[in-house]
């Protein structure tokens, strides 16, 4: 190989640097078709190896275990749960008993329509249909099988009706933790500090296992020891999105520089998604990366303000501090709102009175925001204007106008949905938070069929490879609606687990 | 392999079906890293193998040949030229002598700004900058080296100024044909009816050649005989976009069903792009697929109307036949216009008087449209309204309004750019054409660096693999402006040829 100017040692160094480690006695088949003479020294095995321990991975693990498969769950971070455990615990389902009890008329057809409309019809029709149709079944599985308690039905922008079922403490942990407990009962613990670096295929292209760095420490990319885990039936990829993967997200959307914070946990990077593409998996719509419009520049990461402000929409107005006026439908979808805020070029102000602020079902986010200073309390609207440097007269007039809109129950200015129990804002105290978008969710990802098999560049399933949750694309199209991530993960995680368990073992 | 239920014969059959042919004596390395024992029986060789014979491929071939490399150009269709030869022959360049002579002030900075704005800032900054900066150099190369004659500078929607230099007969053939002649002088003929089905890598991942189906007949997917062509220096992918690849385009944008025609030649399918992704090339923004807003439902393919109507913008209005009114900035970018037409849900009417219609520099498109019936002639505006079922009174009022806009030289209704020599429409004959969008251009494609090396999923160049033109992504972002495809292809095709020629041969 002297012609290429790279000797064997340099080659090994180079491939190691790219995550393609040629380790010890294991000579690896390349992606696609190897020549057949290779052997891997497996040190562990399972029927199904699941990468990632959020909603989708855990749902897959539970279903696969119920079907009698031996499962391993691999998690690169020191603790399980991924983004799911810091998620807002809102699960969209259309036509639930809880909605009916609250007098909310809804249907899977309406949810499908909402998801397609927000998704700019880029959604893969059969995938989004499945999520809408099975949303209630998934909710009931989380309630009855997992044991999560849901306390009310919330509204998120872009939905036609209140549809997101809020878990008890308003956290995805309310779903993740009992899932982990259930798995523990079955003798399965998430294997943390283990990072998948490569999918291994046999000469036919069937996925037969993974290479993992054992005792990996997140952020220390030279840490960990290579271990080869045989997956007798399948590998399920449930490793989430890449909102924290600066290099990757800036290729797909160069606007998303390091100037933008992310709501995601630090482990939300794209190496597992890219490992699948290295073996020829097809990706779709990776450039649709959602900004959360309800995030605060006055706290790090997800924080408290998103919960607080998402409960205010339909009850309280968002104000452009340059003009003192409203500027967007507060109940519009995330993209509409985030784009409008970015267009203004500085954080906007969500302002509410005590009544609207107390619409919070979960007081912790309100209190947490007050505590860390991202939500502020004021006695008068004049003080609000002074603090945020809002021109006073236009602002006071706009609040008057908002109050008349609330009284009429209809917003002819921006088409905001006004909830029936909304009230005019008249007396203090008032509460306000600044909003500036943060990178929140990757709509795009691997192409999968309705069995959650990963599709290759020949439009065919890659044998032995499944994926579910944020690592996949197609369900949400251009824009994901609030509460639909949990539903996507539970519906497709369960399917992936069930279908993978049906695979015939290859050895 | 009995465990997978697939024996050797089935395996070969299956891989053959997916284009991964195990042919005769050639045992092939898989994608990525093979185990090293494989050998390929090469039957042909060149320094550089170029896939595709449009602007980018031919520019690459000319530059590589000038640099002393031995070149092969592979083309699956029976004739060379791809989409380029049926392209409109408009080449965007900012700050040219011809613009200066016509009194048009322009600069690469302004072109960059226009391309970024239309691209919704999804463009890869360094790639789009390069195209804008080298646009005049590329134009001069086409004029002076290739020998194409440009006759005027046109305007296309979304540009700030007239910037597209029109080739003599208003066809990309004016550029392609002399390029083919020049190559012929150097002893190089495009090898038609040869379809690339696979990129071949060595054990280090370096691209070392291609598998080609010789005597392939387009549309007969079982035709052709496998031939292995060694590429001693590099393979350059210049195979264009996938506007005619129904399965592929519907994965990336499910709205683009078979109900939409395409302006592209039938060979604009995505198998070469996908072959690159099979060996781990990174793709970007494949879901941004452009619809041409100026296409006619009354003729097949590209047709005559696009040329005719793109010369009318800024001189004549587009009318919604349901209302009789204008509905969009006629000089807006392609996406803005196509979306607006689709929103109306039926073809709209571009209507012009004799003066505007004669703004055509190339009369052939006007005459061709009249001949095939896609452009119609009327004595009066009343006849126009009757023919297209437009409500008469609103339509006549709107033409009056348009005339006053033209007189004022400013459009406060939609912001259309009114050209200084535009005149009010008063007397017949009038000409009109129906417009309904057709799938026109794929903005997304392979990720490449400024040397046109193809980037892999580890963000590193794939050794020995280059790409240029519509098969790449990043230059145009969300929306390509008219005339910028030729510039992209010439600038990057030349770079790819120059850079590939510098590679050290691997054998």
């Amino acid at each position: 190989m002297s012609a290429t100017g790279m000797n064997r040692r340099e080659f090994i160094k180079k491939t190691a640097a790219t995550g393609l480690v040629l380790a010890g006695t294991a000579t690896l088949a390349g992606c696609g078709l190897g020549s057949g003479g290779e052997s891997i020294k497996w040190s562990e095995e399972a029927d199904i190896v699941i990468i990632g321990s959020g909603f989708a991975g855990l749902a897959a693990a539970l279903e696969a275990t119920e079907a009698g498969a031996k499962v391993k769950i691999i998690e690169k971070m020191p603790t399980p749960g991924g983004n799911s455990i810091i998620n807002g615990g809102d699960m969209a389902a259309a036509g639930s008993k809880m909605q009916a009890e609250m007098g909310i008329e809804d249907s899977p057809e309406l949810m499908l329509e909402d998801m397609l409309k927000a998704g700019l019809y880029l959604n893969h029709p059969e995938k989004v249909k499945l999520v809408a149709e099975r949303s209630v079944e998934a909710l009931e599985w989380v309630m009855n099988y997992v044991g999560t308690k849901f306390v009310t039905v919330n509204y998120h922008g872009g939905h036609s009706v209140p549809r997101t079922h809020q878990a008890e403490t308003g956290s995805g942990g309310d779903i993740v933790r009992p899932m982990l407990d259930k798995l523990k009962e079955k003798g399965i613990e998430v294997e943390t500090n283990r990072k998948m670096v490569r999918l291994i295929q046999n000469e036919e292209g069937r996925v037969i296992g993974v290479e993992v760095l054992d005792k990996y420490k997140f952020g220390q990319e030279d840490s960990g020891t290579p271990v080869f885990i045989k997956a007798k039936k399948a590998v399920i990829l449930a490793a989430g999105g890449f909102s924290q993967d600066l290099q990757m997200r800036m290729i797909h959307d160069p606007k998303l520089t390091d100037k933008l914070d992310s709501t995601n946990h630090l482990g939300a990077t794209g190496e597992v998604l890219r490992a699948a593409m290295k073996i020829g998996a097809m990706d779709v719509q990776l450039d649709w990366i959602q900004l959360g419009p309800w995030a605060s520049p006055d706290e790090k990461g997800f924080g408290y303000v998103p919960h607080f402000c998402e409960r205010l929409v339909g009850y309280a107005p968002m104000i452009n501090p340059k003009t003192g006026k409203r500027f967007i439908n507060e109940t519009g979808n995330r993209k509409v709102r985030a784009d409008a805020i970015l267009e203004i070029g500085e954080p906007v102000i969500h302002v509410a009175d005590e009544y609207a602020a107390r619409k919070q079902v979960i007081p912790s986010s309100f209190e947490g925001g007050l505590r860390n200073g991202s939500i502020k309390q004021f006695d008068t609207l004049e003080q609000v204007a002074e603090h945020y440097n809002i021109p006073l007269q236009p602002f006071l007039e706009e609040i008057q106008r908002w109050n008349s809109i609330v009284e009429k129950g209809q917003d002819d200015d921006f088409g905001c949905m006004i909830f029936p129990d909304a009230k005019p804002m008249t007396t203090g105290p008032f509460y306000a938070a600044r909003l500036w978008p943060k990178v929140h969710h990757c709509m795009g990802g691997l192409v999968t069929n309705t069995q959650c098999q990963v599709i290759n560049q020949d439009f065919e399933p890659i044998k032995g490879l499944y994926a579910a949750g944020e690592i996949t694309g197609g369900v949400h199209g251009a824009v994901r609606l609030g509460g639909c991530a949990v539903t996507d993960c539970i519906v497709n995680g369960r399917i992936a687990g069930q279908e993978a368990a049906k695979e015939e073992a290859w050895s």
Side-chain angles (χ1 to χ4, degrees), chain A residues 413-460:
Chain A
D413 292 352
F414 294 99
C416 179
M417 192 184 288
I418 306 297
F419 289 104
D421 58 339
K423 291 185 182 174
M425 299 166 54
T426 50
T427 53
F430 297 98
Y431 300 90
R434 302 201 307 158
L435 302 182
W436 186 248
K438 294 183 185 178
V439 182
H440 184 58
H441 186 92
C442 296
M443 269 69 69
L446 299 171
V447 178
T448 55
N449 62 17
T450 51
Q451 288 83 53
C452 294
Q453 292 177 291
V454 176
I455 301 303
N456 70 15
Q457 296 288 350
D458 290 314
F459 313 107
E460 291 178 353

Side-chain angles (χ1 to χ4, degrees), chain A residues 157-420:
Chain A
H159 288 282
S160 289
V161 294
R163 179 181 286 149
T164 56
H165 298 68
Q166 187 173 307
E168 198 164 14
T169 75
S171 163
D174 298 339
I175 303 171
V176 169
R177 273 183 293 268
M179 285 174 124
L180 291 170
D181 291 343
K182 272 200 106 69
L183 285 163
K184 207 167 181 177
E185 282 166 25
K186 294 168 197 294
I188 301 159
E189 298 227 32
V190 173
E191 301 174 19
T192 51
N193 291 312
R194 304 191 100 183
K195 180 182 183 178
M196 193 204 93
V197 291
R198 204 162 91 88
L199 290 161
I200 300 168
Q201 294 174 283
N202 68 9
E203 58 192 1
E204 293 170 9
R206 189 199 200 288
V207 171
I208 57 171
V210 293
E211 181 184 343
V212 161
L213 291 178
D214 186 45
K215 299 196 173 58
Y216 165 80
K217 284 187 188 131
F218 180 72
Q220 295 177 26
E221 292 314 298
D222 58 348
S223 65
T225 313
V227 164
F228 296 90
I229 307 177
K230 183 195 279 189
K232 292 195 289 183
K233 288 177 176 240
V235 172
I236 300 176
L237 304 178
F242 57 94
S243 286
Q244 289 280 14
D245 197 321
L246 189 64
Q247 193 173 11
M248 188 168 172
R249 83 184 192 206
M250 281 186 65
I251 282 180
H252 297 290
D253 185 346
K255 297 186 302 300
L256 306 184
T257 66
D258 58 2
K259 300 264 186 296
L260 284 166
D261 192 6
S262 170
T263 62
N264 285 204
H265 81 117
L266 291 175
T269 52
E271 72 280 354
V272 174
L273 175 49
R274 286 185 279 112
M277 293 194 277
K278 285 177 192 175
I279 68 160
M282 184 179 276
D283 63 296
V284 67
Q285 299 159 357
L286 294 187
D287 52 316
W288 286 99
I289 301 172
Q290 179 170 85
L291 297 170
W294 24 239
S296 162
D298 301 318
E299 58 183 355
K300 286 267 173 209
F302 192 80
Y304 296 107
V305 170
H307 274 144
F308 177 69
C309 286
E310 197 65 352
R311 288 293 77 71
L312 295 184
V313 303
Y315 292 103
M318 272 160 58
I319 298 291
N320 175 352
K322 292 179 176 175
T323 62
K325 301 290 181 187
R326 292 171 66 216
F327 58 97
I328 195 72
N329 170 7
E330 288 85 352
T331 52
N333 74 44
R334 290 172 174 181
K335 181 167 173 55
V336 165
R337 288 183 283 164
D339 285 354
I341 298 171
L342 290 173
E343 177 87 17
I344 287 171
E346 62 178 70
V348 300
I349 316 297
H350 213 153
V351 57
D353 63 1
E354 183 86 20
Y355 174 75
R358 294 293 170 198
K359 279 286 150 194
Q360 306 294 316
V361 178
I362 309 298
S364 61
S365 53
F366 185 18
E367 287 157 11
L370 283 169
R371 207 165 49 238
N372 76 11
S374 56
I375 302 171
K376 297 207 180 297
Q377 185 179 331
F378 302 92
D379 293 332
T380 65
L381 290 170
E382 283 75 7
Q383 286 176 1
V384 173
E386 192 187 345
H387 183 81
Y388 295 109
N389 206 18
I390 305 171
L392 181 63
Q393 245 359 83
F395 173 59
L396 293 178
E397 284 163 22
E398 190 72 355
I399 298 298
Q400 283 310 313
R401 187 167 179 85
W402 169 260
N403 287 343
S404 71
I405 285 167
V406 168
E407 274 165 359
K408 199 163 54 165
Q410 190 181 321
D411 171 23
D412 294 327
D413 292 352
F414 294 99
C416 179
M417 192 184 288
I418 306 297
F419 289 104

Side-chain angles (χ1 to χ4, degrees), chain A residues 62 69 496-497:
Chain A
L62 284 164

